[in-house]
């Protein structure tokens, strides 16, 4: 079940709007950012694969096998970066 922070932040992030989420430790802020990011990346990958299967060029930003970084995740501390990496 999503936390209150995730319910509030996820729709805007999925819609690719800028977001700043502030809440206490353990409220689910990291997942509030990462789950929509993964959703958007997978959707773009799927759109690219479907276009290739139809013999079309993939839409801008979509690729079945991207050859460049598609996301950058920054963390304010080494500890949080390690948690995100897990």
């Amino acid at each position: 079940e999503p936390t209150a922070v995730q319910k509030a932040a996820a729709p805007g992030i999925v819609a690719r709007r800028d977001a700043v989420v502030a809440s206490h430790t353990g409220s689910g802020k990291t997942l509030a950012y990462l789950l929509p990011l993964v959703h958007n990346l997978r959707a773009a990958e799927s759109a690219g694969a479907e276009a290739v299967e139809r013999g079309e060029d993939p839409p801008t930003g979509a690729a079945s096998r991207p050859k460049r970084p598609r996301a950058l995740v920054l963390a304010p501390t080494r500890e949080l970066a390690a948690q995100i990496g897990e």
Side-chain angles (χ1 to χ4, degrees), residues 30-52:
T30 301
L31 280 179
Y33 284 111
L34 293 179
L35 291 178
L37 172 68
V38 171
H39 170 80
N40 287 342
L41 291 173
R42 294 232 175 182
E45 189 174 289
S46 177
E50 290 171 5
V52 169

Side-chain angles (χ1 to χ4, degrees), residues 16-75:
R16 299 174 186 248
R17 293 193 303 266
D18 292 340
V20 175
V21 179
S23 189
H24 62 280
T25 300
S27 63
K29 294 180 301 288
T30 301
L31 280 179
Y33 284 111
L34 293 179
L35 291 178
L37 172 68
V38 171
H39 170 80
N40 287 342
L41 291 173
R42 294 232 175 182
E45 189 174 289
S46 177
E50 290 171 5
V52 169
E53 285 177 10
R54 292 189 305 266
E56 302 169 357
D57 290 331
T60 302
S64 58
R65 293 180 173 248
K67 297 179 181 170
R68 59 181 170 77
R70 296 176 51 216
L72 175 64
V73 177
L74 301 175

